[in-house]
Structures are given as structure tokens and as C-alpha cells.
Amino acid sequence: MRYRNAAWGRLGSAGCLALLAIFLATPVWAQSKPVMVYGVIHEYTLARLMQKFERDTGTKADFIRLSAGEVATRVLAERQAPKGDVIFGISRAIQESMKTQGLLEAYKSSRRAEVPSRYVDPDGYWTGSALTVQGIAVNTERWKKEFGNAPMPKTWEDLLDPKYKDLIVAPSPLSSGTGFTFIVGQFFRLGEEKGWEYLKALDRNVRFYTPSGIAPTRMVAAGEFLIAITFAHDALKAISAGYPIALIHPAGVSWDIGSVSLIKNGPNPAGGKKFIDWVLGRDPIQLIVDLNFEGSLRSDVSLPLGATPLEKIDLVDYKLDWAAQNRQRALKQWGELFKK
Amino acid sequence: MGKATTARAWTDALLVRRLTVDPLGLGAIILVVGLLAVFVLFPVVRVLAQPGPAEWTRLLTDPRWLRLAGNTILIAALSTASAVMLGFLFAYATSRPDVPLRHLFKLIAILPLVSPPFVGGLAFILLFGRRGLITYSLLGLSGDIYGWHGLWMVQTLAFFPIAYLTLAGVLRRINPTLEYAAQDLGAHGFRLFRTVTLPLATPGVASAALLVGIYTLSDFGNPMLVGGAFKVLATETYTQVTGWGDLGMASALSAALLLPSLVLFALQRYWLEGRSYVTVTGKGSFADPLPTPGLLRWALFAGCGLVALVLLATYAVVFVGAFAKTWGVNWRPTLENFEYTVFRGRQLWNSIRFAGIAALGGSAFAVLAAFLIHRKRFPGRAMADFAAVLPAALPGTLIGVGYILAFNTPPLTLTGTGTIIVAAMLFRTIPVGYRAAVAGLSQIAPSIEEGAADLGARPLRTLWDVTLPLIRSAFTSALVFTFIRSMNTLSAVIFLVSPGNVVASASILALAEHGDWGQASAMAASLMSAVFLVLLLFRLLTGGRMRLFEL
């Protein structure tokens, strides 16, 4: 009995040590430092993009998908010893505030000439890669059941109709870039005072505000709700997956630019610059358009499937400086007014 | 210096001198105390020190936070009550040998533990949402499951296994001869239950309630998926970090969440633990329990059966979702959802790898710590004991935020590595192994170890050859529990993942949040299968002699 115990003990500990060795031996650090990308775009697309980058350039790269606010936090928290090289797909307002905080490094890629100049930071801290426009997503199956042949909402004011009470779901600007883009879009469309009036009126029809930007679209796709405030690319993705959604662009939609920046004092700045040069090219952008349904800023990239051409969409006059400067104040006020 | 303090100082000095005679033992003590201080106490201190006066003021005055705090307490109370009741039902049913299918119920009752808790929320939406399999496809209903009522149901199902495990252990240790004696004295049926069984089980019920309470307080994934407009402190902490980038406010919220957790923890540890009303020898009696009255037997069976069906449906639906092309729209079976799991297979491997290291290291550390703290005397022993059980009271989000703050600067820059994730997993589950080892040690007479010392064994030799074999079950059950818990942990690690070090649970939540039901289900199914496989492997390796969760 004692002999068996001792043997078991030794075998067990030898086994444990062997397992430990195997686990630890799995390579944790690469030979050369890979390029580290903090990406905000959808993980599936980001994974494919990084795979293409490695194949096209032969440079090792790794990524993590985070939400926009998370990227801002992480880069700020890591500023003494940054672990990332590049941030990609992030909303400009957040990028501007990171620029003010001194977290970014200016890099004027040669590709900047290929993008219209208003989508590029004149100081070189960020370069736009994709155009994202907002709109309304309506679940067509539920619409038919509940409203029959009635016309779908065409303007933002149509959403204030009391018959939509508790049928609308929207993202919260407190935690999502989508939500913030939406509310400042209303400010740019109506002026700030009337904008707040509109949001208050809309709030009566909103069931609740979701922490994540894509949740409303997801819920409307599943039929949980009827109408969502959405980014066009989220809706288009759902449509292409087979969900019964109609995407509507009322007059005066908000929009944003997904852009790419170099992080200051990153571990591999040369690799980061290589990534920026590569990702602004035609093929990578086409990949993002195809998989993510975002709009491109390049003229030689085709539209996403099912998207409305840009000339037909009425965009608001988005003032980036105003948005960046007033973000904190606007969010605070929103948090006080709306409790859902 | 008074006489008492002089005496104490003298004793401390003696202790230290005794320790220096045994360098290996001393080294082990320093190692254990040091690690506990750095990885348990330091992050908590950092979190409490991070918010400035502005954040504390906001926390106490902003009506938004007060409402969230109210929500958190409300749902914790509701979910705990129902989870404990359900757990008691299952524990009672499976403790009676004449309830049909009780072994099956035992197995099903621990099913929720094998997957991340928010998979319950995901499955709930798949089953009972607008496009839910049951509500839409089968029954054609339309109703809103988002909100506190949906969350209540999901949390009850997700956390009742913890209550069940605690209560099953307690009920098992009640000596059946007490019931026979009571019956001899004229108490039958419900009277017997009310006057004998229930009072004996009360500390167990309280203990289970406190444990489940801590889990529901720190639950983060379920409120995120199913909560709707009903928001709680844990998700708000996450939102503060990811949406606002406000680590100060996130720390303040974590501290707010820590308060009720600590209260529950203190109650459980200092008030309950001393008051056990059951026999502690751990030996069952040789008599079978009283036969259960027929009506009760079938009632128990029906109750457990219904819940078991719901649970099975919940986890089956995840597997169905994994193979369906587009949930609620296109039911064509396909393998393409798994393509992403394979493509990002590294995440699953990371989960297994990190959880494995955390389990091995954590169990060993817990047992070593228990031995040193409870068998050796050294200055700071009480502090070390507290630090070893404290993680049980810490919400996962607090650990996550604390680790970011604590380990982002030299000399200990661990952010961005896999080590920080392993550390969070490991130290989070130390209390389980520690408590089990302490309980095991308390049943071993110190004279056994003194005998070994008399024969010339150094303390660590005694530990290895004498004590460890006697508390082997504590080590192995800690191993299994730590592994499972670490595979499924989310709230702590979601702040700590970095490129190359993403774990499957974080990925599943991200996919579910984006509405990629198919891919989320595929990855969840793979994660659960991986856990099962490892458990099976472990069971085979130990020749089935090890008892897993009383099975």
C-alpha cells in the first residue's frame, strides 16, 4: 500500500512536471518582434486582414480586437511602456483626443495622396481608411406583421411617431462610438439645442440603450425589436447573412471615418509604418469593404454589396473639432438626461 | 513597552530564530507570503487608491450609480434566493436513495459549471428570444425577455450548481440515525423535515446563499447579454473602462461592488464557519436514510426533471446553434461556424494552456500555503491567512482592473503577457484549494507530523511524504475546480487579454455581442467539449479513484 502510494506520487509529479514543460515550451515570444495592432473593426475581418498582411509582406503580426474606448484606455494605461504599434479602424473623435494626450506619433504615409484630403489629419497623426455612414434598420418581417403596407419611416422626425413606442433600440453614446456619432449627428443637423429636444422626444420611443454599438442592429435582425439606429455596414452585414432588414438613410445622416495611427514609442515602429502603408492600399481596403461592408475612401475600390452610392446619401456637416472638444460635456449631459 | 508586548516581541524573536534553523521552510514561507502580498493584496490596494476625491464624490452622489447599486443588490438577492432553493431541491432529491434518476440529476446539476456563465444567457436568447427556438419557432409567442426577469432566470440556472454542491455535502453528512431517532419519537414527514433536517442544514443553506451571492454580484456576462435596460455595477465597471477609458471611476465602482461582497464573505467566514451543526468526521453512518414518502418522491423527481430538461435544452441549443447556418433564419446544417474556431484555434489553446498552468500551480500553492500557515507559526500568519481567502470576496472586474493598475509599470511589468492572465486565474481560485486543504489538515492530528519530525524529517519532507498523501483529495479537487473555473472565467481576464494571449471566453462574448450567434455557439461548444475532454482524461489517468464533485 505504501509502495503504491509512493509510486503514484512520483509518477504523478513526473507527469505534472512534463505537462508543465510542454505548456511552457509553447513559444511565447517570437524571434523578431511582430507588429502589434489594436483593431476596432470586427474581429473576423481583422483576422483575415492580418493574415493577408503577413502573406503579402512576410512580416509577422498580431492583433487584438477591442472597442474604441478600450483602445483609448489601453494605450493611455500603457503609455510608459506601450505594447502596441498601430491602432486601426478607430473613430476620429477618439483619435483626436489621443492626439491631444500625446499618445500618437505623426507618420505621413505616401498613401495619403490616394485619399481625399479632408479625410486625413493635416498634422499627420491619423489617416482615414474607411467611411461609415449611419441610418435606420427596420425588420421587414415584423413591419409587415405590425404595420402592413404602411410606408416605412423616411426621416428622423418620422421616428418620433408614438406608434413606435418601445419598438426602437439605440446604442448608448456613453460606451459606444456609434451612439456618440448618432447624437452629435443630430446636433450638426439641427443645432445643439434643437438636437437635445429631438433626442428627448426620441427617448420616449426607445426601449433601452445598449452598451455596445452593434447590439441594436443585432437585435432588430433577430426580430427582438423593430427599429435600430445603426451604422450602414452593420445593417448590410445582417442583410447579407439573410436577415430581413431594410436599411434607410434619412436626410442628414451622421458619419465617421475609420482611421489608422501609429502609437508613440511602440515596440516596433518600423513594422507599424509598414502596416500603415500596406493597409491603405487597394487590396486590403477592398477586403475590408467586402467583409465588413464599410465604405471606402479610395476611388478605385468598389462599393460594398447592397450599399447606396455616396452621392445619394445626405451627410451632415460633421465638425470634427467641435465633436472632440465637446465630447465629455455632451456625454455628461446625456447621462443626466437619459436613464435607460 | 509593557510586559505583554515585551513577551510578544520575545516570542516573535524566538519564532524567527526557530525558522532560521530551517532555511528551506523559511524560504517557502517567504515565497508564499511574498506572492500573496504581491498578487492578492497589492492589486486591491492599488484599486482602492486609484480614484481621487472627485470620483468618490461622484460615486456617492450621482443618482445613476445609486440606482445601479440598488439594481445590483436586488438581482443578487432574487437570484440567490431562487438559486439556493433550487439547489436545495436538487441536493435533497439526490440525497434520497429512492428518488428515480438521481445519478442523472447529479450530473446535470453541475452542467452549468462546465461552461462560462454567460453561455446561459446566450442560450436563453437562442431559446426564448424573439427568434427563439421555443418562443418563436415552436410556440409563436412574442414577448420581451430582456430585463431583470430574464436575468433572474438566467442567473438562477447558472449559479444553482454552486448551492447544490454546498448543500449536497451538508445533507450527506447529516447522520440518518438522527432521523430514525426523531421518527421513533413520533415526528413524521414534514414535521420531521421541519424540526430535524432543516435546522441541521441551515448553516449549509446560509453558506450556500453567501457563496452564490458573491457570484451573482460579480456576474458580468449575463447582465450584458440579457439585462437590457437593467444595468448592474459589474457591467458598468466594464463600460467605464472600455467606453470612457476612466480607470478612476472603474476603480471606484469596483470598490463599491467590493463592499457587499466583503460583507457576505465576512459573514460566511467568521460567523458561519464556526457553527457547524453536523458531524464533522465526514464519515457517513452505515444506515440508509429513511425511505421517502411516495408522493414526495415523485414531486422531487418531477421538480428536478423539469429543471433538468431546461438545462439540457440550454446546452443542447448551443450545439444546435453551432451547426446552424444563420440562427432563426436559415437552419441548414453547416460546419462553417467552426471555421473561425479553427482559424483562431490559438485562443482555445491559450485557454487550455493558461487554465492548466493555473490549476497545477494554484493547487500546489494552495496546499503549500495551507500547510505553512496552519502548521507553522511566524509573524504575519494571520495576514497571510486572510490574503489566501480574500480572493473569494473579490469581484472579477476588480481583479482585472487591479491587475492592470498594479502590473503595468516596472519592476513588475506583466501587462501584455500571458503571465498576467495565468496569475489572475491562479490567485483568483486559491481560496478553494486553500480551504479544502485547511479542512483536510484540521482532520489530521498534528501528532502524526510531530512523529515524522521526531524521526528526523524536515518540514517540507513531512509535507511531501506524510501530510500530502492524507489530503490528496483536497489537492485533486482543487486542481479540477481551478481548471474548470479558469477555462470559463471572463470578468477578470477581459481586461488582461492582449495580442497573442486572447482566451476563448473573451472571444465568445465578443462574438455574441456582435450577433455572430453561429460562431459564438461554435466556439462555446468547442470550449465545453475541451473541458469535458480534459476532465475525462483526468478521470482516466487517476483510474477513477478520484471523486469529482461527489460523483
Side-chain angles (χ1 to χ4, degrees), chain B residues 184-274:
Chain B
D184 285 345
L185 289 168
H188 294 281
F190 186 65
R191 182 145 179 239
L192 173 65
F193 178 79
R194 185 173 54 89
T195 52
V196 179
T197 319
L198 205 52
L200 283 175
T202 303
V205 169
S207 191
L210 295 177
L211 264 179
V212 174
I214 296 182
Y215 271 84
T216 49
L217 280 175
S218 42
D219 185 19
F220 153 77
N222 285 319
M224 196 120 208
L225 284 175
V226 189
F230 188 81
K231 301 196 165 47
V232 296
L233 283 174
T235 43
E236 190 62 27
T237 310
Y238 177 72
T239 310
Q240 285 295 315
V241 176
T242 61
W244 287 83
D246 192 344
L247 280 177
M249 204 59 224
S251 304
L253 288 172
S254 298
L257 196 55
L258 181 60
L259 205 59
S261 246
L262 269 181
V263 168
L264 291 180
F265 169 73
L267 278 175
Q268 208 245 349
R269 184 162 169 71
Y270 298 111
W271 180 61
L272 268 186
E273 231 156 73

Side-chain angles (χ1 to χ4, degrees), chain A residues 43 48 69-70 73-74 77 222, chain B residues 131 241-242 339-340 408 497:
Chain A
E43 170 145 3
R48 291 273 178 283
E70 225 173 349
T73 319
R74 206 174 261 254
Chain B
R131 288 262 168 184
V241 176
T242 61
E339 190 240 333
Y340 192 71
N408 196 47
V497 290

